Amino acid sequence: MVSKEMYELGAKRSVIRDLFEYGKQKAAIVGKENIFDFSIGNPTVPAPECVKESIIKLLKTKKSDEIHGYTSAQGDFEVRKNIADYMNGKFNCQLKAENFYMTCGAAASLSITLKALTVSSEDEFIIIAPYFPEYRVFIKNAGAKVIAVPADPEDFQIQVNLLEKAIDFHTRGIIINSPNNPSGVVYSEKTLRSLAGLLKRKSKEYKKALYLISDEPYREIVYDGIQVPYIPDYYENTIICYSYSKSLSLPGERIGYILIPSFVENARDVYTAVCGAGRSLGYVCAPSLFQRVIMQCLGKTSDIALYDSNRKLLYDGLNKMGYRCVRPDGAFYLFVRSLEENAVDFSENAKKFNLLIVPSDDFGCPGYVRISYCVDPEMIKRSFYAFQKLKDLYQSG
Ligand code: PLP
């Protein structure tokens, strides 16, 4: 006997993983250069030089237990202190090492935070659709309920009036993700201000803290000079779930953090519960070597200009062909309207031309496909032929 719930979760591969595996099998038959795989968000731009340099330096200069041994459960003090100093310089805030808990990436940051905040099975966390599909898994695993609120289909900003209707006495928190996977949208100043205003009003009305969980793995991946602000400046009860997976192209190394500013309501209790949740989920002591590596690379990113040129290439190319999507300001995804109502069928049709694009149903927003453009630009150029064929299929039919 095994857990039915866990069995089902394990047996049902995500649609993204399905397409990714399909692509690998098909490439063995038709050749890798003839597959246009836009399925997965695995950065192709290399990690910056500082990553390699600091790994080499650490291996040469540190004793084995200093880089491969356990750190404190919440992460090495010096690492957390350096991240705090870096953030203080960047956002003019007053953080200390004690505000940070090092994790195995954003997935762990979110799982731990949700587990720490869930008090009863009646608790609810609100997510904005389209959303990262794993949010549902993490919230359910924490023992809470998922409430999804659609974003504005015109620009994918939060519809604060709809969010207001969704908040009730059972709401524990709201997860936001800007820059957004899958829409690529960055929340505007106006959105953040009205979101913060709403949460303050509702916290007062229900006489309890509503936590804003800001999932920020794409914080530095923004274009045209856009800056992602420090969300606690807008709303105090914010917990940041960060990851170096995308900004430093290190998704396989599993490194990130949870940031709980001291002015969060019950901050010490929240931090202690985060330590407990990390322990109960088996996530203590994030990878030691990579804690030290990221400490040497604070403020550095992979070459985002390469994603920017992919963005322009793909957005302009698809627009010219008549595909419709909101121009993304960040992350590395285009969220394109499906050419038929059923995006799953549309994605199946795209496979006929070896084009692997993810139907949006699992993102909680049917009728679109997600195109991940953290890929080789040459593949994008080759793929236009397939996108045109797909368009023709619908025009002729
Ligand atoms: N949140 C979002 C919005 C993501 O897109 C991802 C990964 O793609 C994650 C969280 C998980 O990131 P990590 O690899 O750091 O666990």
Side-chain angles (χ1 to χ4, degrees):
M1 282 273 280
V2 290
S3 150
K4 186 169 171 282
E5 216 180 319
M6 290 303 123
Y7 181 86
E8 280 168 5
L9 205 54
K12 188 185 171 289
R13 223 177 14 207
S14 83
V15 62
I16 301 171
R17 289 263 156 207
D18 258 351
L19 274 173
F20 180 62
E21 294 302 328
Y22 169 88
K24 281 200 288 191
Q25 282 165 14
K26 197 81 201 281
I29 302 164
V30 301
K32 202 166 179 276
E33 67 288 356
N34 296 314
I35 296 288
F36 313 115
D37 184 356
F38 294 98
S39 63
I40 208 162
N42 216 0
T44 45
V45 173
E49 265 310 287
C50 65
V51 169
K52 198 201 286 175
E53 283 162 10
S54 59
I55 294 173
I56 293 170
K57 190 165 161 218
L58 285 162
L59 290 177
K60 283 189 175 159
T61 58
K62 296 282 179 192
K63 287 196 286 188
S64 183
D65 64 335
E66 287 177 304
I67 46 173
H68 302 305
Y70 291 124
T71 62
S72 301
Q74 63 271 44
D76 179 76
F77 182 84
E78 195 194 358
V79 171
R80 291 182 291 129
K81 168 88 176 67
N82 272 270
I83 301 174
D85 291 346
Y86 166 72
M87 294 287 281
N88 292 340
K90 181 165 177 179
F91 293 117
N92 193 24
C93 42
Q94 266 100 40
L95 299 168
K96 295 191 193 130
E98 289 80 357
N99 298 114
F100 290 84
Y101 182 96
M102 302 305 296
T103 64
C104 304
S109 303
L110 288 160
S111 300
I112 292 171
T113 303
L114 291 162
K115 183 91 180 155
L117 295 179
T118 301
V119 178
S120 102
S121 57
E122 300 284 288
D123 284 354
E124 297 169 353
F125 287 94
I126 299 176
I127 55 180
I128 310 294
Y131 47 74
F132 180 54
E134 297 303 282
Y135 290 164
R136 281 189 173 276
V137 179
F138 303 153
I139 294 171
K140 281 192 192 148
N141 196 46
K145 293 189 182 127
V146 181
I147 307 289
V149 172
D152 186 335
E154 285 299 309
D155 55 9
F156 292 106
Q157 298 283 327
I158 297 173
Q159 305 195 84
V160 178
N161 56 335
L162 292 190
L163 181 60
E164 175 154 16
K165 289 190 188 128
I167 295 176
D168 65 19
F169 181 74
H170 297 297
T171 309
R172 284 296 281 157
I174 288 110
I175 304 180
I176 59 166
N177 167 228
S178 170
N180 187 266
N181 172 10
S183 72
V185 161
V186 177
Y187 290 151
S188 67
E189 176 80 21
K190 185 169 164 248
T191 296
L192 293 174
R193 289 214 178 282
S194 54
L195 171 67
L198 171 67
L199 297 185
K200 282 176 204 165
R201 264 191 290 120
K202 287 289 173 184
S203 303
K204 241 190 207 156
E205 185 181 331
Y206 293 116
K207 297 191 179 52
K208 62 175 197 177
L210 282 175
Y211 292 99
L212 182 59
I213 302 169
S214 184
D215 177 27
E216 304 187 359
Y218 303 95
R219 183 164 68 209
E220 291 80 11
I221 306 182
V222 277
Y223 312 111
D224 302 329
I226 283 181
Q227 294 281 330
V228 177
Y230 182 59
I231 307 295
D233 281 344
Y234 292 79
Y235 182 66
E236 290 193 340
N237 282 328
T238 297
I239 299 172
I240 294 177
C241 292
Y242 185 78
S243 162
Y244 295 90
S245 292
K246 316 287 171 167
S247 59
L248 288 177
S249 301
L250 296 176
E253 306 301 349
R254 316 308 301 135
I255 188 78
Y257 62 73
I258 301 167
L259 163 55
I260 304 153
S262 304
F263 49 60
V264 160
E265 194 166 308
N266 297 325
R268 288 324 301 166
D269 289 354
V270 173
Y271 191 89
T272 306
V274 158
C275 293
R279 187 175 162 196
S280 91
L281 293 166
Y283 276 140
V284 291
C285 180
S288 292
L289 176 62
F290 274 84
Q291 288 191 45
R292 265 109 188 166
V293 170
I294 57 104
M295 183 175 99
Q296 306 295 332
C297 300
L298 293 168
K300 301 274 179 22
T301 64
S302 305
D303 188 355
I304 286 154
L306 294 173
Y307 294 138
D308 192 13
S309 64
N310 278 359
R311 172 182 74 128
K312 286 178 185 139
L313 183 65
L314 200 54
Y315 178 83
D316 293 346
L318 293 187
N319 253 292
K320 253 186 228 149
M321 277 180 221
Y323 287 96
R324 288 290 158 254
C325 76
V326 173
R327 189 178 163 87
D329 286 324
F332 37 55
Y333 308 102
L334 278 188
F335 203 51
V336 180
R337 275 220 82 96
S338 163
L339 296 183
E340 63 173 296
E341 215 178 306
N342 188 331
V344 177
D345 290 347
F346 180 60
S347 165
E348 274 304 310
N349 273 331
K351 275 182 179 170
K352 291 179 185 155
F353 308 106
N354 294 331
L355 201 50
L356 310 185
I357 49 183
V358 181
S360 61
D361 300 57
D362 284 2
F363 298 100
C365 181
Y368 296 80
V369 282
R370 188 192 76 172
I371 299 179
S372 176
Y373 60 80
C374 52
V375 296
D376 179 358
E378 292 308 313
M379 187 191 91
I380 297 180
K381 287 178 200 156
R382 287 198 304 274
S383 76
F384 285 137
Y385 172 78
F387 276 112
Q388 187 59 59
K389 285 280 206 193
L390 181 60
K391 187 95 209 306
D392 294 346
L393 182 76
Y394 282 88
Q395 261 151 5
S396 65

